[in-house]
């Protein structure tokens, strides 16, 4: 992968890269995130019946992972292109550009990847759980928010812990986990329980105010990577 990034830097600097995305980098990223999804979901497409909701959900998650990978690659290459100029607007020497590109590449390909991988695992786990919730909703009509309570628990999830509401309550449209990057919270389905009389007031990131499981998504649709991406870039990966 470093060889591809080095070659890309040369092409961009010499104005020889004519596309807005890099297929090899998209493929690399999508494959990494797809591993996370199948790990969290607990199955691969080959292990599922084509006509089941599980297959349809996993197929939708696969498409979303590829589109997210394309969107983040578009953002990555735009940032690399912008790094051709220094803070004063002057063209950098190739060595200066190579160093700037190295910092950008490290952020996209290493620092952010682990967080995105963790979110893909958690999102896939909760997508699979959402299918089970729907299958069992008549016998188990309630959901309880369950946070992992330790020294790493966010105030957001700590404040939601123990909330019990019906499955179809609007609360779950905004607070069904994951609720933030590296979120470890989950839900427990109940046959009976004391329904919460009031909804906790917590400051959840705007981007995560959605139910990814019910929408068959891994990453929030308002993630910054999706902003400004040309429609034809995402369309290329409608059926990856």
């Amino acid at each position: 992968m470093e060889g591809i990034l080095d070659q890309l830097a040369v092409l961009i600097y010499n104005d020889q890269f004519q596309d807005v995305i890099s297929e090899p980098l998209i493929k690399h990223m999508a494959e990494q995130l797809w591993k996370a999804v199948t790990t969290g979901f607990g199955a691969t497409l080959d292990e599922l019946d084509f006509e089941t909701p599980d297959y349809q959900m996993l197929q939708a998650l696969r498409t979303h992972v590829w589109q997210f990978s394309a969107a983040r690659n578009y953002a990555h290459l735009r940032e690399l292109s912008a790094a051709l100029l220094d803070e004063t607007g002057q063209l950098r020497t190739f060595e200066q550009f190579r160093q700037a590109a190295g910092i950008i590449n490290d952020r996209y390909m290493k620092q952010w990847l682990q967080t995105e991988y963790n979110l893909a695992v958690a999102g896939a786990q909760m997508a699979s759980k959402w299918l089970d919730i729907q299958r069992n909703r008549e016998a188990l009509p309630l959901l309880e928010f369950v946070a992992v309570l330790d020294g790493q628990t966010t105030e957001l999830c700590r404040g939601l812990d123990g909330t019990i509401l019906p499955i179809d309550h609007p609360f779950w449209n905004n607070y069904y986990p994951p609720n933030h990057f590296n979120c470890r919270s989950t839900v427990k389905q109940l046959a009976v329980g004391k329904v919460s009389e009031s909804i906790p007031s917590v400051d959840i990131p705007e981007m995560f105010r959605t139910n990814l499981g019910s929408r068959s998504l891994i990453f929030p649709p308002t993630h910054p990577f999706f902003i400004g991406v040309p429609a034809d870039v995402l369309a290329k990966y409608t059926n990856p």
Side-chain angles (χ1 to χ4, degrees):
M1 188 51 54
E2 289 187 5
I4 294 176
L5 291 169
D6 289 341
Q7 182 182 32
L8 189 59
V10 172
L11 293 174
I12 290 175
Y13 191 82
N14 293 321
D15 197 24
Q16 296 176 335
F17 187 75
Q18 303 302 317
D19 207 342
V20 295
I21 54 174
S22 167
E23 295 284 356
L25 290 183
I26 292 173
K27 183 175 185 292
H28 171 78
M29 183 57 56
E31 288 176 346
Q32 298 302 309
L33 295 177
W34 178 238
K35 290 178 184 177
V37 169
T38 55
T39 296
F41 201 84
T44 65
L45 288 170
D46 291 340
E47 296 170 335
L48 299 173
D49 188 321
F50 178 78
E51 297 182 351
T52 62
D54 299 76
Y55 183 96
Q56 295 169 10
M57 171 71 84
L58 193 54
Q59 180 63 52
L61 298 183
R62 181 173 185 271
T63 295
H64 188 64
V65 158
W66 275 88
Q67 291 185 329
F68 175 81
S69 299
R72 85 187 299 279
N73 182 253
Y74 179 80
H76 185 176
L77 295 193
R78 286 183 66 186
E79 194 166 341
L80 286 176
S81 295
L84 287 168
L85 304 181
D86 64 18
E87 294 77 6
T88 67
Q90 298 299 308
L91 180 67
R92 286 187 163 105
T93 67
F94 178 72
E95 182 57 28
Q96 291 171 336
F97 171 69
R98 189 183 66 80
Q99 292 178 3
I103 295 173
I104 295 169
N105 291 337
D106 183 73
R107 188 165 68 249
Y108 274 88
M109 305 306 292
K110 294 180 181 179
Q111 296 178 31
W112 290 347
L113 177 56
Q114 185 60 59
T115 297
E116 292 163 354
Y117 187 95
N118 292 343
L119 180 58
V121 172
Q125 288 174 336
M126 297 309 295
S128 177
K129 182 179 287 288
W130 186 255
L131 292 173
D132 289 335
I133 289 169
Q134 297 308 311
R135 278 189 281 261
N136 301 317
R137 61 182 298 132
E138 291 189 12
L140 305 170
L142 301 176
L143 290 182
E144 178 181 2
F145 191 99
V146 180
V148 177
L149 300 177
D150 58 23
Q152 300 178 32
T153 308
T154 64
E155 289 305 310
L156 188 166
C157 289
R158 191 180 298 275
L160 295 174
D161 184 58
T163 300
I164 299 176
L165 291 165
I167 290 170
D168 58 0
H169 193 284
F171 172 86
W172 301 112
N173 293 335
N174 292 323
Y175 299 106
Y176 184 78
N179 296 134
H180 56 83
F181 289 113
N182 296 315
C183 183
R184 299 172 296 158
S185 296
T186 186
V187 296
K188 180 167 59 176
Q189 200 165 6
L190 306 172
V192 295
K194 183 178 180 181
V195 174
S196 300
E197 297 180 359
S198 61
I199 307 298
S201 177
V202 295
D203 186 18
I204 186 172
E206 180 68 30
M207 183 173 69
F208 282 92
R209 293 180 186 176
T210 186
N211 184 329
L212 296 176
S214 70
R215 299 182 65 178
S216 302
L217 301 174
I218 287 294
F219 299 97
T222 56
H223 191 290
F225 287 154
F226 286 116
I227 298 174
V229 180
D232 61 330
V233 170
L234 298 180
K236 290 184 66 174
Y237 300 98
T238 301
N239 296 295

